[in-house]
Amino acid sequence: MILLQTLRFNTKLGRDNTNKTLSNLPHQQNHISLALTNQYYAKLTQKTMGNILSASFAEECTPAKQKYDDCFNHWYSEKFLKGKSMENECEDLWVEYQQCVEVHLIKKGIKPMLDEARSDAPFEKGGVPLAESESKK
Amino acid sequence: MKLFSSEHQFAYPWEQVTAANWLKYPNEVSTHVIGVDVLRREVDPSSGILTTERLLTCEQAIPGWLRHLVGGASRSYVREISLVDPKQKTLTMRSCNLTMCNLLRVHETCIYSPATDGSSTTFTQTAEITAYASWKKICDKIEDWSVERFGQNAIKGRTGFEGVLQLFSKIQEGGKLIDEVAGKGGKLIDEVTDKTSIVLSEVTDKTSSVLSEVTENVKRSIFKP
């Protein structure tokens, strides 16, 4: 309990320092540069939270996952949301990350549960359970 | 079957909320979510909808009576499918637990869409919670516990996400300054740009060193025999 409070206090302290410094910059209204935000935000969270919370369900996959995530976040903000691209521009990083994921889904015994869930609520149906989508027809 | 539902408004535009959604974890409040992985991701060329399948890994203690029913595991997995429709401006997320499936199913649906004012985002969250046990009394007990647990985690999720959005927004304001200033060109502008970058870097480093220190303390305490 005390640890958690210490953590929260120091996180708040860190955030207050960030807010104080950033609020000295002139206030601007429009949203731009989500990509730049991602860059700083990713740096901040990697440094701070990366040690406490592991990013991937399998720690061996975390480096590949973070590289892919960086690429995806940039593509999402700068290309997808702006209607500039619908292609997977992070293909190589994705493949490397997925190869690791596949191996560990099996190693950790998650694959059978996942397969069953996928047949109950397919990806192609947006995750709507089949039973539900049938009764709505 | 028990139902949970709640509504909330985030004071940020929809685009920003959906971008921050991918960065929701880790956050300092939702400490039970320890991993997030993408399993599949596709854009439908006709509708333009981005569909993503994710695996969330959670570590959260469960009460003793429930532990006896499920065999003691505190590690659980959730499968989430999200759809981002950039034309309709909706982000729909549907998830269900993978673990403990024979005993309890929690189907959650979250929808983010722009509020009527255009600069904030409404968030609606519903969950259908169903327990499968031989005796109704046990079913009720499991469902009641689950609704309570779900509600607590939902509050954590909202609070944690607010924190993420706030930091995201502040960094964005600083980033805009760098962009605008850099665009004008000139040595003086470059100096200002550098200085702002340095300020942001220093802030980043300062914040992260404070939190790194705390991380070490937490780790030491957790791993103390």
Side-chain angles (χ1 to χ4, degrees):
Chain A
M1 221 37 222
I2 295 169
L3 289 169
L4 212 58
Q5 282 166 2
T6 311
L7 182 63
R8 281 205 200 102
F9 172 76
N10 282 325
T11 312
K12 186 179 182 304
L13 184 68
R15 225 184 25 234
D16 288 343
N17 283 338
T18 313
N19 284 346
K20 219 187 284 176
T21 313
L22 287 170
S23 65
N24 287 333
L25 300 168
H27 184 79
Q28 303 287 347
Q29 276 305 317
N30 306 327
H31 25 247
I32 49 80
S33 204
L34 283 177
L36 190 66
T37 308
N38 278 327
Q39 195 186 316
Y40 280 112
Y41 189 86
K43 188 179 171 191
L44 185 65
T45 49
Q46 261 171 33
K47 274 194 181 183
T48 58
M49 292 305 209
N51 290 334
I52 301 175
L53 303 173
S54 57
S56 173
F57 77 106
E59 58 180 20
E60 299 89 339
C61 304
T62 298
K65 176 194 138 64
Q66 286 180 348
K67 280 192 216 149
Y68 165 74
D69 277 348
D70 268 343
C71 180
F72 168 77
N73 287 330
H74 187 275
W75 171 85
Y76 182 82
S77 305
E78 293 304 307
K79 303 278 180 80
F80 179 75
L81 282 183
K82 298 183 180 178
K84 287 183 185 174
S85 161
M86 297 200 296
E87 308 283 311
N88 178 7
E89 295 180 5
C90 305
E91 184 72 31
D92 291 343
L93 295 170
W94 170 251
V95 166
E96 190 188 330
Y97 170 46
Q98 284 305 296
Q99 279 170 353
C100 186
V101 166
E102 283 300 315
V103 165
H104 288 93
L105 280 175
I106 296 168
K107 265 191 180 170
K108 289 190 186 276
I110 302 173
K111 195 71 171 44
M113 293 190 284
L114 188 59
D115 287 340
E116 195 182 322
R118 279 168 169 171
S119 59
D120 285 343
F123 179 92
E124 291 76 8
K125 296 253 182 283
V128 176
L130 275 180
E132 195 183 305
S133 60
E134 301 259 312
S135 64
K136 280 185 177 153
K137 279 190 192 150
Chain B
M1 200 246 285
K2 303 225 163 33
L3 289 170
F4 171 95
S5 112
S6 80
E7 234 184 73
H8 183 74
Q9 220 174 39
F10 293 103
Y12 303 92
W14 180 84
E15 287 80 2
Q16 201 168 325
V17 170
T18 63
N21 172 56
W22 306 117
L23 298 166
K24 182 176 173 186
Y25 305 108
N27 67 69
E28 59 192 11
V29 187
S30 307
T31 49
H32 59 291
V33 181
I34 62 170
V36 182
D37 286 273
V38 182
L39 302 179
R40 190 173 164 186
R41 185 169 256 157
E42 284 165 23
V43 180
D44 183 327
S46 50
S47 63
I49 293 177
L50 170 72
T51 306
T52 305
E53 181 187 34
R54 294 200 299 176
L55 177 79
L56 282 84
T57 309
C58 303
E59 188 71 47
Q60 199 169 26
I62 54 177
W65 60 269
L66 188 57
R67 238 189 350 259
H68 291 129
L69 285 170
V70 302
S74 60
R75 170 74 52 104
S76 60
Y77 297 101
V78 173
R79 173 179 177 250
E80 170 210 271
I81 305 245
S82 60
L83 284 82
V84 184
D85 188 338
K87 293 178 192 154
Q88 302 293 322
K89 296 214 181 182
T90 55
L91 163 58
T92 308
M93 298 161 74
R94 292 188 190 94
S95 62
C96 189
N97 53 307
L98 284 181
T99 40
M100 251 172 70
C101 232
N102 294 333
L103 191 60
L104 173 72
R105 297 234 173 167
V106 179
H107 282 283
E108 177 187 357
T109 307
C110 296
I111 303 175
Y112 294 86
S113 54
T116 40
D117 66 5
S119 61
S120 48
T121 305
T122 49
F123 168 61
T124 55
Q125 180 180 33
T126 54
E128 288 178 12
I129 295 169
T130 315
Y132 304 93
S134 310
W135 293 287
K136 187 178 184 304
K137 225 175 150 190
I138 299 184
C139 270
D140 285 341
K141 192 172 182 185
I142 295 173
E143 285 178 3
D144 287 339
W145 168 82
S146 186
V147 168
E148 201 190 323
R149 171 56 64 90
F150 187 88
Q152 289 164 354
N153 287 345
I155 292 172
K156 283 190 194 177
R158 272 203 311 274
T159 313
F161 197 31
E162 279 283 6
V164 167
L165 285 165
Q166 205 183 60
L167 185 57
F168 200 85
S169 179
K170 285 286 184 184
I171 293 174
Q172 212 183 353
E173 286 168 15
K176 186 182 187 330
L177 175 68
I178 292 173
D179 269 9
E180 283 195 359
V181 154
K184 287 180 186 148
K187 184 170 184 266
L188 179 63
I189 305 301
D190 283 345
E191 276 177 48
V192 172
T193 308
D194 289 346
K195 188 154 192 180
T196 316
S197 296
I198 290 167
V199 165
L200 277 171
S201 281
E202 273 176 45
V203 163
T204 308
D205 288 334
K206 187 166 189 175
T207 312
S208 63
S209 76
V210 165
L211 287 169
S212 286
E213 219 181 279
V214 174
T215 309
E216 282 314 305
N217 288 337
V218 169
K219 267 161 97 177
R220 260 184 249 123
S221 307
I222 289 172
F223 291 114
K224 238 194 304 192

